[in-house]
Amino acid sequence: MIKRALWQGLVAGTAGGVVMTVGEKVEPRVTGRPDSHVPARVLQRLTGLPERPRTQPVPLNLAMHFGQAALLGVLRSIMAQAGLRGPVASTQFAVVRLTNDQILENMTGVGAPPPTWPRSELAVDLLHKAVYAFATGAVADALAARDGRGPGGRHAALRPGRHSDAGPLPRGRPQDC
């Protein structure tokens, strides 16, 4: 399962990154906001690369943007392989995506906590992260569905409905888990 989740997650995360980037390129034309170069600044701080405040580090921005998207896609793929699929799983994943950004941005001193942002900036960021999470989730779920329900889905199928007393699945073959 992990091998499948790795390649499927990289594909799903990259696809989600592309969809989010399209939205991020359209949105400033509507809102008038300037492009954000926060991802590049974070990458500069994490790697010790020199910072050039007046330079627009587009290649670094894209590297950090798509690198995070692809790597976090692996987590969403693991969720899908385990049986955590659909809109609820994508909503959970949106929180992970936003949390990842905030940890890196605040840890490096490039960003500030979201409660200190103007509400319009926060709304736009949440929208972009949700777009990424749902696009990544759609691809991850579709790829995982080709492999069957996953352990969580198989467990749920034993007793359809909501039950508090459903015990664990019997141990299966290693590739099932």
Side-chain angles (χ1 to χ4, degrees), residues 37-120:
H37 293 281
V38 169
R41 306 288 184 230
V42 169
L43 186 57
Q44 289 169 327
R45 297 254 174 115
L46 288 173
T47 61
L49 290 170
E51 296 181 49
R52 297 182 183 96
R54 291 184 180 83
T55 304
Q56 302 298 323
V58 175
L60 290 178
N61 225 38
L62 293 173
M64 185 67 170
H65 184 74
F66 283 106
Q68 281 188 97
L71 289 175
L72 286 172
V74 174
L75 175 61
R76 182 59 178 86
S77 182
I78 291 170
M79 292 170 68
Q81 285 290 337
L84 300 170
R85 299 179 187 160
V88 171
S90 290
T91 301
Q92 293 169 329
F93 182 61
V95 174
V96 170
R97 178 64 168 102
L98 183 64
T99 301
N100 176 76
D101 278 4
Q102 289 308 305
I103 288 170
L104 293 174
E105 292 170 16
N106 284 274
M107 179 181 73
T108 58
V110 171
T116 67
W117 302 0
R119 289 186 194 273
S120 61

Side-chain angles (χ1 to χ4, degrees), residues 16-26 62 65-66:
V18 168
V19 173
M20 181 172 66
T21 300
V22 169
E24 288 175 338
K25 294 303 175 195
V26 171
L62 293 173
H65 184 74
F66 283 106

